[in-house]
């Protein structure tokens, strides 16, 4: 049991919090984001008391006269999220010693509120509660109120989200937790409506009850808080224990696949009823599973599940058919009505997933989607110096000066489309305009194609989300038109909608740049560019890596910085003191650099990856239990927990990515220490994989790669020669997840030759570019023809 039961108030329990983050109850996954159109998945306020069900508060507008004109101390921060709260009538503190000292000195509980700048329900709670002067006064007088951008401080977010999830039915953002002055949590939840309702208790009432209990029953609260913290410490420990080796990859693969197969939606793809998240880590697992089981029925099934899911997502409204890129998630089973926020990490991972789908299927539909994603990132989420912004908001004003609404930038009425596309379509079997053709193909209706159940606030009545209803062939047949003509007409129509949409007020851009997500984006551009043979995409990856090295790397300390920010005139700014990188920053950047080396064959990126891995090992490795902690010991001083992330969700676990990185680095260098660390890491997570393999599909992939051993594919040749490029492109065109690709240019003093002395024994055949495929210290016969190499790699 997590702690004893302690009441707040005279027998009156705290409420459930309102809609938070969507999570798959089936497997206990947690993914980012929350939407006004979520099903009622209210999460319990985390505390040691039972709590009744709550609901959603209506979004009320505060008049300008009620808003504080004088900024609070958040005005000095760089985070877009904290700056959004800089004019609240709340005496906010950023996370730091000043706030903790004040709480201890004045013996007040800390109110911690965590969110991010493109979070819909964070906006709601700010508007309803944090802009309310009475609530602001309560927060300022009786609590020490602390605001945290969860993207700046994922360590703080993870610790207290662990508490919320462990003591309730879920989690989400905004996350609101009450702490003792020693930072131990005792009550928490997600969104709170401002006032009491028939079945809920409002935020103001919660504050009053906690204030009363802190004065009357503080000793009990502190005891319960300590008990909960102790229990969480025991539950969250991940360690090798007495285990010597990781579990069987074959067994973990089979269990993970079976769990996914049981939850698969045959009709629409994906792995839940609703809401549905893209979850690229699952698609990556299915592709890897297919490759190692491709002669079996389960292997074919895995491929079909992944390809069908990707196709249904790309045809659905979760994809922005006008401006490209993917929204955060779908609120319905059909991928139709999205939560409209767009996150950088989704674009990065989905670009790779669609590129891999193209490798496997040969269907250019998938490569076109990948190129569209990267086109969107280049246009909307890219800094002029090469870095990548974090997100675009779901909310925006329908017209200038109006109150923001979710999805306003993305939805269309029939009237708008008819006015923009009035041209008659020649050759159709019935009178038809370009607008009518587009509306038929994308499912637009006069009444709007958003059901009331997906629009509880009635903000989207009469509006439409574009979603592909028919194949090009069916649409062409319906009107007696040529398929190519229909394709041209639709593309022309979408371009006109795109140009018209430019005149709408744009969603808020979170111009914060995170090392971790920039690392994922370097991978997205590098992998897609290499597979499709598009140098311009590889150049974007190179520019992204250069940005990371120039603006987010302290050369003297050898350390990554977590964040930087877009300044005026294209400049880049940093917080003072800088926010240092977390485990995910190192893991994702190292992965990006390894992908970039394979795409560009510039060994400087590989050298930097090795240096960063050394720093990661020094700062985060658990020498006692194995695996990596999410944060440095010093950085998280005072936090009640130091965690190891054990879930592949919207983003892969940094430990899962690190397991892959260690294997690849061993393949590039032969350094035994990295292979040993990989084995220790996989062993430490053995129990978690055995218990719920579907929670760690990316780590199960790493386990398989370890037990099957990586291929070292060595190309000996001049990097600029056509025959060398032909062999490299052959390798890139094939889906081979468990490989390292090495260019040996014949120079024994080169970086890679110094790492792998055997490279100097490999020779070009007849002075032609020559490939070798090596496994377990044994290499194939030399190959000079791409077709022969393809045959060998397909075996």
């Amino acid at each position: 049991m997590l702690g004893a039961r302690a009441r707040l108030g005279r027998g009156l329990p705290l409420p459930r919090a309102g809609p938070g983050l969507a999570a798959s109850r089936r497997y206990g996954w947690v993914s980012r984001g929350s939407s006004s159109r979520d099903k009622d998945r209210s999460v319990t306020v985390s505390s040691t008391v039972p709590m009744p069900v709550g609901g959603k508060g209506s979004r009320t507008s505060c008049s300008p006269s009620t808003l504080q004109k004088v900024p609070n101390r958040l005005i000095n921060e760089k985070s877009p999220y904290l700056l959004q709260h800089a004019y609240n009538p709340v005496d906010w503190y950023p996370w730091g010693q000043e706030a903790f000292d004040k709480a201890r000195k004045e013996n007040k509980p800390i109110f911690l509120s965590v969110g991010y700048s493109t979070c819909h329900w964070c906006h709601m709670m700010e508007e309803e509660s944090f802009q309310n002067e009475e609530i602001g006064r309560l927060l300022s007088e009786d609590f020490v109120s602390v605001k945290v951008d969860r993207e700046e401080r994922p360590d703080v977010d993870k610790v207290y989200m662990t508490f919320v999830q462990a003591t309730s039915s879920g989690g989400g953002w905004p996350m609101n937790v009450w702490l003792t002055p020693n930072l131990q949590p005792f009550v928490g939840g997600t969104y709170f409506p401002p006032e009491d309702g028939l079945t809920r208790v409002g935020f103001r009432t919660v504050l009053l009850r906690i204030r009363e209990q802190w004065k009357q029953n503080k000793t009990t609260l502190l005891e319960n808080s300590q008990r909960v913290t102790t229990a969480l410490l025991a539950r969250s420990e991940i360690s090798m224990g007495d285990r010597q080796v990781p579990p069987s990859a074959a067994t973990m693969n089979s269990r993970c696949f079976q769990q996914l197969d049981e939850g698969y939606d045959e009709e629409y793809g994906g792995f839940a009823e609703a809401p549905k998240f893209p979850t690229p880590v699952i698609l990556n697992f299915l592709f890897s599973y297919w490759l190692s089981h491709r002669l079996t029925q389960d292997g074919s099934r895995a491929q079909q599940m992944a390809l069908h899911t990707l196709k249904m997502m790309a045809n659905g409204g979760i994809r922005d058919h006008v401006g490209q890129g993917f929204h955060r998630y779908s609120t319905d089973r059909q991928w139709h009505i999205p939560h409209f926020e767009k996150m950088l990490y989704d674009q990065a991972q989905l670009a790779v997933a669609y590129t891999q789908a193209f490798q496997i299927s040969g269907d250019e539909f998938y490569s076109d989607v990948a190129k569209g994603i990267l086109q969107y990132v280049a246009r909307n989420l890219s800094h002029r110096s090469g870095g990548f912004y974090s997100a675009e908001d779901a909310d925006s004003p329908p017209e200038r000066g109006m109150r923001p609404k979710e999805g306003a930038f993305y939805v269309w009425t029939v009237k708008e489309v008819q006015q923009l596309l009035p041209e008659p379509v020649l050759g159709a079997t019935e009178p038809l305009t370009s607008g009518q053709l587009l509306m038929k193909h994308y499912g637009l209706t006069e009444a709007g194609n958003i059901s009331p159940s997906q629009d509880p606030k009635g903000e989207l009545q009469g509006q439409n989300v574009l979603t592909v209803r028919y194949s090009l062939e069916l649409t062409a047949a319906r009107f007696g038109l040529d398929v190519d003509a229909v394709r041209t007409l639709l593309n022309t129509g979408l371009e006109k909608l795109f140009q018209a949409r430019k005149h709408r007020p744009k969603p808020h851009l979170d111009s914060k740049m995170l090392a971790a997500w920039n690392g994922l984006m370097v991978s997205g551009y590098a992998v897609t560019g290499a597979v499709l043979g598009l140098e311009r995409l590889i150049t974007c990856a190179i520019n992204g890596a250069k940005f990371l090295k120039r603006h987010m790397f302290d050369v003297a300390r050898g350390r990554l910085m977590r964040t930087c920010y877009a300044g005026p005139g294209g400049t880049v700014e940093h917080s003072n003191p800088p926010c240092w990188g977390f485990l995910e920053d190192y893991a994702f950047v190292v992965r990006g650099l390894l992908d970039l080396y394979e795409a560009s064959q510039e060994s400087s990126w590989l050298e930097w990856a090795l240096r960063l891995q050394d720093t990661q090992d020094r700062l985060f490795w658990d020498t006692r239990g194995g695996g990596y902690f999410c944060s440095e010991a010093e950085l998280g001083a005072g936090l009640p927990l130091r965690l190891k992330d054990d879930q592949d969700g919207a983003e892969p676990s940094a430990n899962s990515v690190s397991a892959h990185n260690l294997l690849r680095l061993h393949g590039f260098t032969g350094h035994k220490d990295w292979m040993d660390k990989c084995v220790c890491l996989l062993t430490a997570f053995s129990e978690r994989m055995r218990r719920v393999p579907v929670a760690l599909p990316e780590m199960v992939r790493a386990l398989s790669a370890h037990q099957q051993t990586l291929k070292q594919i060595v190309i000996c040749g001049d990097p600029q020669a056509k025959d060398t490029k032909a062999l490299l492109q052959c390798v890139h065109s094939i889906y081979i997840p468990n490989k390292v690709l090495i260019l040996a240019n014949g120079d024994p003093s080169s970086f890679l030759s110094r790492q792998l002395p055997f490279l100097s024994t490999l020779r070009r055949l007849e002075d032609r570019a020559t490939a070798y495929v090596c496994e377990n210290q044994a290499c194939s016969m030399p190959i000079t023809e791409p077709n022969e190499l393809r045959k060998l790699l397909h075996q």
Side-chain angles (χ1 to χ4, degrees), residues 306-368:
L307 291 177
H308 180 60
T309 296
L310 285 166
K311 185 153 280 189
M312 296 304 291
M313 283 167 45
N315 285 333
I318 192 174
R319 179 183 174 204
D320 178 3
H321 294 277
V322 174
Q324 298 304 311
F326 279 77
H327 299 294
R328 178 71 281 269
Y329 62 83
S330 171
T331 64
D332 57 85
R333 180 187 167 206
Q334 295 82 9
W335 303 105
H336 179 198
I337 307 301
H339 172 47
F340 293 90
E341 176 185 25
K342 286 182 176 179
M343 308 302 302
L344 181 68
Y345 60 78
D346 280 326
Q347 317 311 320
Q349 295 178 89
L350 287 171
V352 174
Y354 278 98
T355 297
Q356 291 174 340
F358 168 69
Q359 282 179 307
I360 290 166
S361 69
D363 187 344
E364 290 186 1
F365 171 86
Y366 298 106
S367 59
D368 287 344

Side-chain angles (χ1 to χ4, degrees), residues 367-387:
S367 59
D368 287 344
V369 175
K371 286 187 284 188
I373 291 170
L374 298 181
Q375 180 187 32
Y376 160 72
V377 172
R379 184 181 64 241
N380 288 59
L381 295 180
S382 293
H383 189 275
R384 66 171 66 173
S385 297

Side-chain angles (χ1 to χ4, degrees), residues 5-6 183 211-212 239 404 421 441 447 451 458 511 546 568 580 617 620 642 658 671 689 717 719 748 759 778:
R5 300 286 180 183
L183 306 184
R211 180 182 70 176
E212 177 187 354
S239 173
L421 304 171
H441 188 74
S451 72
S511 59
K546 287 180 177 177
W580 295 110
D617 294 346
F620 305 103
R642 191 181 181 205
S658 293
H671 293 182
M689 278 193 280
L759 293 180

Side-chain angles (χ1 to χ4, degrees), residues 638-658:
L639 286 173
L641 304 172
R642 191 181 181 205
L643 299 173
K644 297 174 187 173
D645 193 6
D646 63 350
Q647 182 169 294
D648 295 319
E651 303 160 63
S653 157
N655 269 289
S656 298
V657 172
S658 293

Side-chain angles (χ1 to χ4, degrees), residues 421-426 428-438 440 475 478-479 481 489:
L421 304 171
E423 308 86 0
V425 176
L426 302 177
T429 53
E430 60 186 78
L432 182 71
T433 66
S434 295
Q436 289 169 330
L437 176 71
L438 186 140
K440 182 71 174 178
T475 299
R478 166 71 177 78
F479 297 108
L481 297 168
L489 284 165

